[in-house]
Amino acid sequence: DVKVTQSSRYLVKRTGEKVFLECVQDMDHENMFWYRQDPGLGLRLIYFSYDVKMKEKGDIPEGYSVSREKKERFSLILESASTNQTSMYLCASRGQTNYGYTFGSGTRLTVV
Amino acid sequence: KNEVEQSPQNLTAQEGEFITINCSYSVGISALHWLQQHPGGGIVSLFMLSSGKKKHGRLIATINIQEKHSSLHITASHPRDSAVYICAVAPGNQFYFGTGTSLTVIP
């Protein structure tokens, strides 16, 4: 059973902390994505990566960075967490075709 | 920018009712996806469409490429169908998502 695994379901962090959200996929997919989901706004793309060490900004990259050192792992980094980054974060991966777009189960992050 | 519009935003139905959720999009696409998200967060893919109609159990998805419109139908709805349903389109490598339709099916 193919999987995208996010390391935490729930996280609570303090303002100013550096936060790492981890995502691992076992499908050998080239493309990986980080989204945040907020009520009324839907899913918004933060960053994506189409290959190891490659990254592209999405629609809302400010305050975030990413790392993809290995094909299976895509990390989202909040350099200095702020309360407006409280949200649900979803990781997804996809192969080179339009098939097989798979989501992780999400990380609900609360910044206090 | 709203490349994908869904309606309705919220929907409450009695168990057994026939349900329709609509999705309109403004970009040229190679595929459209219907996704389901239960409370707690995880998203699963229900359908991927590039033309015509697909059926899986009580769920039916249709797409009209010329009109840039898709519908998701649920026949004989059940409380376990309560979830957020999201339409997503893929003009290329990225996806654009609708804001979702929150469905509640009452026993």
Side-chain angles (χ1 to χ4, degrees), chain A residues 9-10 31 33 35 37 40-43 45 48 50 57-59 88 90 94-95 98-99 101 103-106, chain B residues 1 9 30-31 33 35 37 39-45 48 84 86 90 92-100:
Chain A
R9 289 300 305 271
Y10 300 95
N31 304 293
F33 306 81
Y35 294 91
Q37 185 182 32
L41 298 175
L43 284 147
L45 181 64
F48 68 99
Y50 52 87
K57 291 180 180 179
D59 298 319
M88 168 70 85
L90 287 146
R94 194 176 71 168
N98 281 324
Y99 301 87
Y101 201 91
F103 281 90
S105 55
Chain B
K1 55 180 178 181
Q9 274 194 306
S30 53
H33 293 244
L35 310 170
Q37 184 177 30
I43 293 176
V44 297
S45 178
M48 191 198 73
V84 175
I86 301 168
N93 195 35
Q94 289 188 48
F95 273 62
Y96 295 106
F97 296 88
T99 53

Side-chain angles (χ1 to χ4, degrees), chain A residues 16-75:
Chain A
E17 278 194 72
K18 190 168 186 176
V19 181
F20 293 85
L21 302 183
E22 304 289 345
C23 176
V24 177
Q25 50 97 2
D26 64 0
M27 296 163 284
D28 202 36
H29 281 169
E30 292 78 9
N31 304 293
M32 296 187 75
F33 306 81
W34 273 108
Y35 294 91
R36 65 177 281 177
Q37 185 182 32
D38 301 286
L41 298 175
L43 284 147
R44 292 180 292 167
L45 181 64
I46 304 171
Y47 268 98
F48 68 99
S49 168
Y50 52 87
D51 203 350
V52 176
K53 297 192 186 293
M54 306 302 287
K55 60 184 179 183
E56 294 285 343
K57 291 180 180 179
D59 298 319
I60 51 164
E62 295 78 19
Y64 303 94
S65 61
V66 290
S67 172
R68 193 158 180 211
E69 296 297 316
K70 293 184 178 181
K71 191 176 187 180
E72 66 270 20
R73 184 180 297 270
F74 192 35
S75 303

Side-chain angles (χ1 to χ4, degrees), chain B residues 13-82:
Chain B
Q14 292 288 336
E15 183 173 357
E17 283 186 22
F18 181 85
I19 288 162
T20 296
I21 300 170
N22 294 300
C23 174
S24 296
Y25 54 93
S26 58
V27 294
I29 66 168
S30 53
L32 180 144
H33 293 244
W34 281 102
L35 310 170
Q36 181 192 56
Q37 184 177 30
H38 279 285
I43 293 176
V44 297
S45 178
L46 297 173
F47 293 103
M48 191 198 73
L49 293 162
S50 53
S51 64
K53 177 179 173 178
K54 285 190 176 180
K55 185 175 189 292
H56 182 70
R58 294 180 294 105
L59 274 61
I60 303 166
T62 64
I63 188 168
N64 184 319
I65 296 290
Q66 288 73 31
E67 294 186 3
K68 295 187 174 178
H69 182 269
S70 176
S71 294
L72 177 68
H73 306 286
I74 304 175
T75 61
S77 59
H78 190 277
R80 65 174 174 266
D81 297 326
S82 298

